[in-house]
Amino acid sequence: DIVMTQSPDSLAVSLGERATINCKSSQSVLYSSNNKNYLAWYQQKPGQPPKLLIYWASTRESGVPDRFSGSGSGTDFTLTISSLQAEDVAVYYCQQYYSTLSITFGQGTRLEIK
Amino acid sequence: QVQLVQSGAEVKKPGSSVKVSCKASGGTFSSYAISWVRQAPGQGLEWMGGTIPIFGTAKYAQKFQGRVTITADKSTSTAYMELSSLRSEDTAVYYCARDGSSGPLGYWGQGTLVTVSS
């Protein structure tokens, strides 16, 4: 199984500042035939199911604010929130979906306001 | 608009089984993978397994092999997850989630709390 490791486990950022979360996979999730990274990011707020933010490592889901961006390729990925808003307080998860019906999540990163 | 509605909370005894349902509306049920993901209290997300209804087969995370069964009824657009030999560590919120046209889990059910307690 592909192991996903996020860093840091928790993060406190001031309102309006940049937040950066990293995710590393134990093997590449770049599919050479289509040059796509099978990597997604989710946001989960208390009492709610996760919400898909980013897929193919860098494509924003419809309706997601453009302050959220994803980058990286192969085994190293980053989620960036360019200007933190109060409503962004949540736990963020990366997820690989390289193989059909073989999904793994990172352990999560808790984002708080400093 | 795709919606996934799950069955209600359950309280089970250790050693028993639980079956959670997930009814889909909107969109095409059979063509997209449906996964089950659980979250223990205060913990992260854990993928348990999934199925693509049109193919009729399921795949499971190694941790749950032999203890979980995921099925789908195309006639009612409903997916099911049955977990057996329950223990206290299985106390969690269980989510169903469906792939979107873009790939990963774009649609989620509201979650079902399963409590295992003697």
Side-chain angles (χ1 to χ4, degrees), chain B residues 49-97:
Chain B
T51 184
I52 303 175
I54 197 170
F55 296 133
T57 57
K59 201 169 171 185
Y60 305 112
Q62 193 170 2
K63 175 177 178 176
F64 299 100
Q65 285 275 4
R67 218 164 54 97
V68 68
T69 304
I70 293 171
T71 56
D73 182 340
K74 294 189 294 290
S75 68
T76 60
S77 299
T78 303
Y80 300 90
M81 185 284 300
E82 184 169 22
L83 187 63
S84 63
S85 303
L86 290 169
R87 34 209 188 229
S88 58
E89 310 90 88
D90 294 317
T91 293
V93 175
Y94 290 77
Y95 293 103
C96 63

Side-chain angles (χ1 to χ4, degrees), chain B residues 3-7 21-25 78-79 96 108-112:
Chain B
Q3 278 198 309
L4 303 175
V5 178
Q6 299 182 220
S7 49
S21 67
C22 170
K23 184 169 176 61
S25 61
T78 303
C96 63
W108 291 72
Q110 82 275 20
T112 296

Side-chain angles (χ1 to χ4, degrees), chain A residues 40 42 44 48-50 52 55-56 61 93 95 97 100-103 105 107, chain B residues 33 35 37 39 43-45 47 50-52 59 95 102 104-106 108-109:
Chain A
Y42 295 81
Q44 187 180 31
Q48 297 183 17
L52 176 64
Y55 57 95
W56 302 137
E61 175 74 325
Y93 296 91
Q95 174 221 3
Y97 50 106
T100 302
L101 292 180
S102 184
I103 289 167
F105 291 93
Q107 80 275 20
Chain B
S35 287
V37 176
Q39 187 169 40
Q43 302 301 306
L45 303 172
W47 183 79
T51 184
I52 303 175
K59 201 169 171 185
Y95 293 103
S102 51
L105 308 176
W108 291 72

